[in-house]
Amino acid sequence: MLTACGSLDAGNAGIGTDGGPGGDGGGGSTGVSPLDNPKGTDRGLGTIKSAKDRAAAVAIIEKVPTKGRGPKTGYSRDEFGYAWADNAESIPFAHNGCDTRNDVLARDGEKLKYRSGSKCVLTSMTLHDPYTDKTIEWSKQDAAEVQIDHVMPLSYDWQMGASRWSKSQRVQIANDPLNLLPVDGSTNSSKGDSGPATWLPPSKSIRCSYAVRFAQVALKYDLPVTAPDKDAMLTQCR
């Protein structure tokens, strides 16, 4: 299991219930600005363009505290619970009968097709990847072509304070749609557990939005970022 992402291999989700993002038609080919999507329940990651919005983005990033990155000692993916668990508390889409991975695929994809008899398990879809700005025709036969990125990587969370959290809080951040984006698999693999100072999406037009989303996750979970990461985030929106 990857530390900062999960490949879209066969899932074992149950039948969906009300409250999930699934359904015919899916999300769409373009994303919603993070400024207009503070809970992460709307599709994708849209660009931030206007001077007014970029100023608002800077204001959000400036609120994030800074701290040195701690040791990785004791980290494992298992510390954040079973991958794509539906049992996280107090986050959108949880306890809807579908695993988290399929929830965010349904949120961001279009032309969704489900496994026969399931309202959760996707077998194919069209995804607009915000990191590369390319459209991916995804199917489970080529599962690794799309991965779910933890925008603020779990190992990074651990080093910035999550090592001291309760297990239930770590399960929350691992499954919170605010922290999750389906993206091009090879691009996501290149990210690992890097912060914004050492890794940014290849598409320059989305980098400010990525920085804002990183900040939104940090603020929601009272986590700091490193000073170089904060500087890099602010640079993308100025």
Side-chain angles (χ1 to χ4, degrees):
M1 188 65 64
L2 297 173
T3 58
C5 59
S7 63
L8 285 123
D9 52 3
N12 60 351
I15 302 300
T17 58
D18 290 345
D24 293 340
S29 59
T30 59
V32 176
S33 165
L35 298 174
D36 299 322
N37 188 18
K39 294 184 178 180
T41 52
D42 292 324
R43 67 178 183 266
L45 191 68
T47 56
I48 294 174
K49 298 179 180 179
S50 72
K52 179 180 178 182
D53 285 350
R54 294 179 79 85
V58 167
I60 290 172
I61 296 168
E62 285 180 336
K63 294 177 183 178
V64 181
T66 60
K67 178 183 174 183
R69 196 160 174 167
K72 198 174 177 178
T73 306
Y75 170 77
S76 75
R77 176 62 178 83
D78 290 343
E79 293 292 335
F80 290 79
Y82 176 79
W84 316 128
D86 187 41
N87 63 351
E89 299 299 329
S90 303
I91 59 169
F93 308 150
H95 301 280
N96 68 351
C98 299
D99 68 41
T100 305
R101 178 186 61 214
N102 280 296
D103 279 338
V104 296
L105 286 177
R107 179 197 66 188
D108 290 4
E110 62 178 356
K111 300 179 183 177
L112 307 180
K113 293 185 179 179
Y114 291 86
R115 188 172 68 190
S116 178
S118 175
K119 294 182 180 178
C120 291
V121 181
L122 285 158
T123 59
S124 66
M125 66 172 189
T126 299
L127 176 73
H128 180 77
D129 170 30
Y131 288 0
T132 62
D133 199 28
K134 71 179 183 181
T135 298
I136 301 171
E137 299 296 337
W138 176 84
S139 74
K140 290 179 74 67
Q141 292 178 332
D142 297 306
E145 188 178 8
V146 168
Q147 294 177 358
I148 306 296
D149 179 38
H150 286 99
V151 175
M152 197 170 186
L154 301 185
S155 174
Y156 189 101
D157 300 336
W158 181 266
Q159 293 173 79
M160 301 310 289
S163 61
R164 299 185 295 274
W165 290 357
S166 67
K167 184 68 169 285
S168 62
Q169 190 173 8
R170 291 196 289 266
V171 172
Q172 286 179 341
I173 198 170
N175 292 279
D176 192 332
L178 183 66
N179 195 28
L180 300 174
L181 286 172
V183 296
D184 174 70
S186 61
T187 300
N188 186 53
S189 293
S190 72
K191 172 182 172 179
D193 64 354
S194 299
T198 52
W199 189 92
L200 289 165
S203 176
K204 293 182 179 180
S205 66
I206 206 66
R207 289 179 177 177
C208 178
S209 297
Y210 177 81
V212 170
R213 179 53 54 83
F214 205 100
Q216 287 173 324
V217 177
L219 291 169
K220 178 174 180 177
Y221 288 92
D222 296 320
L223 286 172
V225 301
T226 68
D229 285 335
K230 185 172 181 176
D231 288 344
M233 294 158 70
L234 287 168
T235 297
Q236 305 314 310
C237 296
R238 284 177 171 160

